[in-house]
């Protein structure tokens, strides 16, 4: 085992509390010429540190803004901000590069608080840095209705928050996605004479994040990829909600990360070891070929005489008596929410530095545009999110005469077509690319030595795959990531899918083997409840296309929707190209593909999705031979259909027609909304079985004959 680099001279590994008392800070960094290999010709230097007394006042300002906000709300987590305030000050004030007047400046450093319960640390830092969206009134409204300072960081609520964190470990995996995006764009667009993409990603994670499996998945990938611009700070305070971590977590974290291919450092005195923290960050920035984990040993609730180093300071307010005792202990004799004048003056310099940093980059980009017009246009598309004109015309087109094919195969044609015309289109699979059909054939693999390529090999890591993809989408508006596995394994990645929907990350989830149609692999691999469970999730599009017209239509919808994710449920088995399907119909979620009635009053409405739409169409043909008027509706996406006008929905599903049948190889729950009290659902309210697909479909009633019999029973 490699011994971690110790940077602290303090003999105490865990110093006790003393007996007494939509953004980032810019680092003024002039352009650094690069050698042909891409490395800086000169070392980067951090901003000079402020005087020691001013640093101490700034750190205590951060601590007490957190203490006072939690106390006022009578809710929150003061312990982490109190312990991590020194780290937060040094990182934000001396190393991070950003412009508080323009939180979205492209080449800013990214910061992620994976231990999101300690969000008052981030809010206090953003407030001091001058973000307009984090005022003193916002701090006072912490955790209140309508505030911009929610109980965990939300990228859609608070300026300067890059990603939504809260579920532990997710933010850490997000950080891997952010640094992957930087590495990919730098490899594609940097030139020997102009470095146009050059920023770091920093993340603070705690013991809880370390325990979550998603963090290990993500750190394994990051070590494999050697993403050296990720610097992670492990807040080693030995406390979780239930008490000391000794009750459940005693592993050697640094040894694990070394085994995963990381550089590791241990700052033994994170409470007052400012020079040690600075030295650790500088060392980490010198390591180019691997990520760095800096273990920072801190005291949770530092300064609280009676609650420091206990779980009682983790997730609840200190209480008025302990707040007063802490003020006395740290010699902070100020009213709540006080920011000393010299602290205000010190942090104000970030306005000019941030503006200068961005102006410097803008000038560099102007030079880049002159020399490298095509690359500049592509990068600008990624930065702005503007799609190339006519991009959707590249999608494949099918007719009813085209041969049968699985929608997963049609999906691969769509993916490759989109990658050719959209500069920011990239993605991969959880070790199933050859089965999900997700390989981009014109590109190689994103690897440590080929980061410019666009096929991402996630390995069997569905959970991290989703979280990493979320961050890629949030890094830049024009990055459009897709990720893929079998549809049933959305259960393994439900947390990042939910966060995609919550934070508006437009990931495209390509989920194949969407039903009992996968056959012999049996019920463990046959999704039954997944369709409805995902439809129950807000702000997500679940699309189940039926053929070679609806599948490109689904991709068109997914690409356009950058503020919400899309799930494409695709078949393994071959399906025919149907009469009446349309790209325009998919965009409306539900539409009529055939109808022999007049006056919007058919005798019967058959509603299908995906592979079962064919069954509905064939059953309609047979019933029409018997003189029935039958309408066939493709309800490819419930969410899009619900967004249509009442007039349109009535034109597709007229309320007067109560004879309706839904046909879908999934649970029937939810279909009552569309079939009404008198309709019937043909579905699966049990688990599947292992057998050839045709046999399963027949035994479970997914046949033309059963549809006809059900229709006659209405």
């Amino acid at each position: 085992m490699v011994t971690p680099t110790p940077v602290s001279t303090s003999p105490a590994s865990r110093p006790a509390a003393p007996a007494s008392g939509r953004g980032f800070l810019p680092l003024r960094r002039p352009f650094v010429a690069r050698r042909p290999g891409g490395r800086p010709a000169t070392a980067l230097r951090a901003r000079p540190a402020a005087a020691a007394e001013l640093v101490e006042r700034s750190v205590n300002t951060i601590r007490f803004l957190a203490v006072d906000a939690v106390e006022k709300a009578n809710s929150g987590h003061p312990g982490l901000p109190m312990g991590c305030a020194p780290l937060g000050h040094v990182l934000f004030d001396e190393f991070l590069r950003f412009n508080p007047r323009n939180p979205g400046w492209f080449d800013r450093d990214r910061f992620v608080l994976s231990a999101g319960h300690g969000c008052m640390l981030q809010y206090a830092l953003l407030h001091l840095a001058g973000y307009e969206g984090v005022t003193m009134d916002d701090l006072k409204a912490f955790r209140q209705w309508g505030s911009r300072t929610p109980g965990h960081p939300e990228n859609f609520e608070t300026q300067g928050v890059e990603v939504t964190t809260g579920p532990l470990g997710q933010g850490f995996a997000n950080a891997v996605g952010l640094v992957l995006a930087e590495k990919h764009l730098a490899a594609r667009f940097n030139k020997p004479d102009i470095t146009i993409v050059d920023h770091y990603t920093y993340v603070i994670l705690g013991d809880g994040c370390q325990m979550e499996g998603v963090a290990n998945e993500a750190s394994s990938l990051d070590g494999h990829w050697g993403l050296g611009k990720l610097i992670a700070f492990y807040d080693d305070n030995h406390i979780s909600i239930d008490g000391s971590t000794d009750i459940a977590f005693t592993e050697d974290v640094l040894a694990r990360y070394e085994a995963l291919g990381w550089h590791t450092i241990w700052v033994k005195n994170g409470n007052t070891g400012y020079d040690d923290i600075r030295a650790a960050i500088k060392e980490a920035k010198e390591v180019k070929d691997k990520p760095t984990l800096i273990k920072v040993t801190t005291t949770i609730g530092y300064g609280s005489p009676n609650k420091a180093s206990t779980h009682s300071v983790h997730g609840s307010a200190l209480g008025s008596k302990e707040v007063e005792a802490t003020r006395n202990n740290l010699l902070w004799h100020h009213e709540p929410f006080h920011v000393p004048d010299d602290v205000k003056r010190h942090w104000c310099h970030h306005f000019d530095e941030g503006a200068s940093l961005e102006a410097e980059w803008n000038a560099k980009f102007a030079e880049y545009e002159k020399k490298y017009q095509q690359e500049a246009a592509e990068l600008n598309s990624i930065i702005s999110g503007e799609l190339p004109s006519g991009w959707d015309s590249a999608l494949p087109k099918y007719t009813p005469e085209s041969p049968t094919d699985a929608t997963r195969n049609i999906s691969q044609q769509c993916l490759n077509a989109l990658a050719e015309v959209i500069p920011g289109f990239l993605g991969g699979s959880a070790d199933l690319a050859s089965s999900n059909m997700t390989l981009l054939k014109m590109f190689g693999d994103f690897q440590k030595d080929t980061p410019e390529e666009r096929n991402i090999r996630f390995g069997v890591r569905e959970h991290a795959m989703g979280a990493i993809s979320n961050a890629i989408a949030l890094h830049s508006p024009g990055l459009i990531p897709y990720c893929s596995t079998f549809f049933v394994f959305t259960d393994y990645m439900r947390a990042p899918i939910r966060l995609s929907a919550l934070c508006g990350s437009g990931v495209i989830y390509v989920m194949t083997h969407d039903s009992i149609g996968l056959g012999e692999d049996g019920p463990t691999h046959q999704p039954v409840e997944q369709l409805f469970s995902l439809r129950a999730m807000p702000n997500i599009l679940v699309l189940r296309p039926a053929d070679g017209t609806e599948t490109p239509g689904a991709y068109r919808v997914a690409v356009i929707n950058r503020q919400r994710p899309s799930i494409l449920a695709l078949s393994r088995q071959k399906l025919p190209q149907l009469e009446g399907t349309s790209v325009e119909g998919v965009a409306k979620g539900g539409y009529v593909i055939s109808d022999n009635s007049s006056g919007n009053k058919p005798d019967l409405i058959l509603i299908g999705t995906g592979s079962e739409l064919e069954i509905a169409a064939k059953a309609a043909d047979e019933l029409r031979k018997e003189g029935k008027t039958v309408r066939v509706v493709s309800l490819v996406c419930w969410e899009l259909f619900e967004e249509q006008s009442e007039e349109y929905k009535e034109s597709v599903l007229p309320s007067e027609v109560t004879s309706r049948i839904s046909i879908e190889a999934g649970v029937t729950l939810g279909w009552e909304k569309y079939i009404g009290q008198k309709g019937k659902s043909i579905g699966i309210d049990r688990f599947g079985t292992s057998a050839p697909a045709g046999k399963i479909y027949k035994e479970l009633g997914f046949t033309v004959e059963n549809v006809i019999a059900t229709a006659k029973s209405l």
Side-chain angles (χ1 to χ4, degrees):
M1 182 184 77
V2 179
T3 303
T5 306
V7 299
S8 174
T9 57
S10 169
S13 61
R14 294 184 59 204
S20 60
R22 278 190 215 256
F24 301 88
L25 289 184
L27 166 62
R28 179 66 181 273
R29 188 170 82 181
F31 170 66
V32 179
R34 300 235 168 200
R35 300 189 181 97
R39 298 211 175 182
T42 59
L44 301 177
R45 293 180 298 171
R47 182 185 301 112
E53 291 184 1
L54 178 57
V55 168
E56 196 64 33
R57 279 194 294 277
S58 178
V59 168
N60 279 330
T61 299
I62 296 165
R63 286 187 176 120
F64 282 99
L65 286 176
V67 166
D68 295 336
V70 172
E71 196 66 24
K72 187 173 188 298
N74 194 28
S75 174
H77 300 74
L80 183 148
M82 295 170 74
C84 284
L87 166 61
H89 171 87
V90 171
L91 179 61
F92 269 66
D93 191 49
E94 300 176 27
F95 289 90
L96 260 67
R97 304 163 60 250
F98 72 103
N99 182 0
R101 293 284 170 82
N102 181 13
W105 170 50
F106 167 72
D107 206 34
R108 67 192 181 278
D109 287 343
R110 270 70 170 176
F111 171 76
V112 177
L113 183 63
S114 186
H117 54 276
C119 56
M120 268 310 305
L121 171 70
Q122 189 169 10
Y123 298 153
L125 290 165
L126 293 173
H127 172 71
L128 292 177
Y131 280 80
E132 294 179 358
V134 192
T135 66
M136 184 60 76
D137 286 340
D138 292 312
L139 299 186
K140 292 178 179 179
F142 177 55
R143 288 188 165 222
Q144 303 308 299
W145 178 267
S147 80
R148 294 183 291 189
T149 50
H152 289 82
E154 310 281 7
N155 65 299
F156 53 88
E157 293 282 7
T158 313
Q159 280 188 357
V161 172
E162 300 286 355
V163 296
T164 290
T165 61
L168 294 177
Q170 291 289 326
F172 178 75
N174 290 161
V176 174
L178 292 173
V179 76
L180 181 154
E182 192 277 344
K183 181 75 170 180
H184 173 71
L185 296 177
R188 282 177 62 182
F189 295 107
N190 285 348
K191 302 295 181 181
D193 59 331
I194 302 180
T195 299
I196 204 68
V197 182
D198 185 13
H199 50 268
Y200 279 81
T201 298
Y202 299 90
V203 59
I204 294 177
L205 67 159
D207 289 301
C209 296
Q210 294 285 18
M211 294 184 217
E212 287 286 359
V214 65
N216 196 68
E217 289 184 19
S219 55
S220 174
L221 272 169
D222 202 324
H224 168 72
W225 287 327
L227 303 178
K229 284 192 172 178
L230 177 62
I231 299 176
F233 302 94
Y234 165 33
D235 175 29
D236 170 45
N237 63 38
H238 294 261
I239 295 293
S240 60
I241 291 177
D242 278 351
S244 169
T245 55
D246 291 345
I247 63 176
F249 187 62
T250 54
E251 69 184 47
D252 186 336
V253 173
L254 292 185
R256 172 161 59 92
Y257 274 78
E258 288 158 10
L260 292 171
W262 287 57
H263 177 66
T264 63
I265 305 170
W266 184 8
V267 174
K268 295 183 178 181
N269 178 11
N271 296 332
T272 59
Y274 301 107
D275 288 340
D276 297 340
I277 295 170
R278 293 182 186 109
I281 298 173
K282 290 176 182 178
E283 179 183 329
K285 289 174 76 90
E286 291 299 319
V287 178
K288 311 296 183 183
D289 61 345
K290 59 178 66 176
T292 296
L293 180 78
I294 304 174
K295 174 180 171 180
V296 185
T297 298
T298 66
T299 298
I300 191 170
Y302 180 90
S304 171
N306 302 301
K307 294 189 176 183
S309 293
T310 70
H311 70 279
S312 61
V313 78
H314 179 280
S316 59
L318 293 176
S320 58
K321 290 184 179 179
E322 190 65 14
V323 169
E324 186 63 25
T326 304
R327 277 184 155 79
N328 291 332
N329 194 33
L330 294 180
L331 306 178
W332 191 254
H333 303 301
H334 302 290
E335 70 279 4
F337 297 101
H338 177 75
V339 179
D341 289 340
D342 58 346
V343 173
K344 290 180 183 178
R345 287 193 298 270
H346 173 73
W347 283 83
C348 280
H349 73 89
H350 295 303
F351 288 123
D352 289 341
E353 290 187 3
S356 176
L357 199 68
E358 183 175 356
E360 179 183 303
W361 186 87
N362 288 338
K364 193 191 304 185
F365 189 73
E367 179 186 359
Y368 187 87
E369 285 183 300
K370 292 177 182 178
K371 291 186 176 182
Y372 308 103
Q373 294 182 9
Q374 180 178 343
E375 291 91 335
E378 289 188 1
L379 179 57
N380 198 49
S381 170
I382 291 170
I383 293 172
S384 68
E386 183 176 350
L387 293 167
S389 177
W391 64 272
D392 52 347
S393 64
L395 289 165
K397 296 175 177 60
Y398 281 71
T399 69
E401 291 71 41
S402 300
T404 62
D405 207 352
T407 53
R408 64 169 175 164
N409 294 334
I410 299 166
S411 166
Q412 184 170 50
Q413 295 178 37
C414 294
L415 290 170
N416 279 269
L418 292 171
E420 287 187 349
V421 296
I422 299 178
F425 198 83
L426 75 168
S429 168
D431 198 49
L432 287 169
S434 60
S435 191
N436 298 145
M437 308 306 289
T438 51
L439 193 67
L440 301 179
K441 296 179 180 179
M442 73 291 293
F443 295 109
D445 293 343
F446 177 97
Q447 295 289 355
K448 184 174 185 177
D449 298 325
T450 55
E452 71 280 3
E453 300 292 354
R454 295 204 228 169
N455 285 299
I456 305 175
R457 304 290 192 170
F458 289 103
V460 189
R461 301 182 183 92
E462 295 92 349
H463 199 169
M465 175 176 70
I468 288 169
S469 298
N470 277 341
I472 294 172
L474 293 173
H475 181 278
S476 295
L479 286 177
I480 303 179
Y482 67 89
C483 63
S484 186
T485 184
F486 292 164
F487 188 39
V488 74
F489 297 142
T490 53
D491 289 344
Y492 273 70
M493 53 192 306
R494 190 174 181 86
I497 290 175
R498 183 176 186 274
L499 286 172
S500 295
L502 176 64
C503 71
S505 177
V507 177
I508 302 175
Y509 292 94
V510 182
M511 300 297 171
T512 70
H513 298 60
D514 70 328
S515 70
I516 54 173
L518 68 87
E520 292 86 348
D521 274 341
T524 61
H525 282 53
Q526 293 169 2
V528 174
E529 74 278 18
Q530 281 74 14
L531 270 169
F532 179 76
S533 69
L534 291 164
R535 285 168 176 159
M537 190 178 289
N539 197 44
I540 193 168
L541 300 176
V542 182
L543 301 108
R544 190 164 183 250
D547 64 1
T549 298
E550 287 198 343
T551 303
Y555 270 102
R556 185 178 183 276
V557 165
V559 169
I560 290 172
N561 279 270
R562 294 292 80 230
Q563 300 300 312
R564 56 181 169 179
S566 300
I567 292 183
L568 277 61
L570 305 168
S571 75
R572 174 183 182 269
Q573 72 272 32
K574 290 184 177 182
L575 303 174
Q577 314 309 325
L578 301 174
E579 290 275 2
T581 54
S582 74
V583 170
E584 296 76 18
V586 173
K588 294 182 178 180
Y591 65 104
V592 178
I593 72 164
S594 68
D595 189 0
N596 67 327
S597 70
S598 60
N600 202 31
K601 293 183 67 174
D603 297 327
L604 172 69
I605 299 176
L606 300 179
I607 313 169
T609 73
S611 48
E612 290 73 66
L613 190 60
E614 173 198 3
I615 299 172
K618 288 182 176 179
D621 288 341
E622 295 301 316
L623 288 167
R624 287 165 187 158
K625 292 176 183 178
E626 300 179 12
K628 299 291 185 182
T629 58
V630 183
R631 173 177 294 180
V632 179
V633 171
S634 172
L635 205 58
V636 59
C637 179
W638 292 12
E639 297 82 14
L640 289 174
F641 185 68
E642 290 302 320
E643 292 172 4
Q644 306 309 308
S645 67
E646 291 302 320
E647 292 76 13
Y648 177 78
K649 287 187 282 187
E650 179 68 17
S651 73
V652 176
L653 297 175
S655 54
E656 288 187 22
V657 181
T658 58
S659 294
R660 305 179 184 186
I661 301 173
S662 66
I663 312 157
E664 184 176 68
V667 296
T668 59
L669 184 64
W671 275 107
E672 59 272 10
K673 181 174 185 177
Y674 298 109
I675 62 172
Q677 292 183 348
K678 296 183 179 180
K680 292 189 176 182
S681 284
I682 297 175
I684 311 174
D685 291 318
R686 49 156 285 182
F687 291 116
T689 190
S690 179
K695 179 67 172 177
I696 301 175
Y697 264 76
K698 181 178 179 180
E699 293 295 331
L700 295 184
F702 291 95
T703 63
V704 171
E705 294 76 16
N706 187 41
V707 174
I708 293 172
T710 303
K712 291 180 177 180
S713 72
L714 290 174

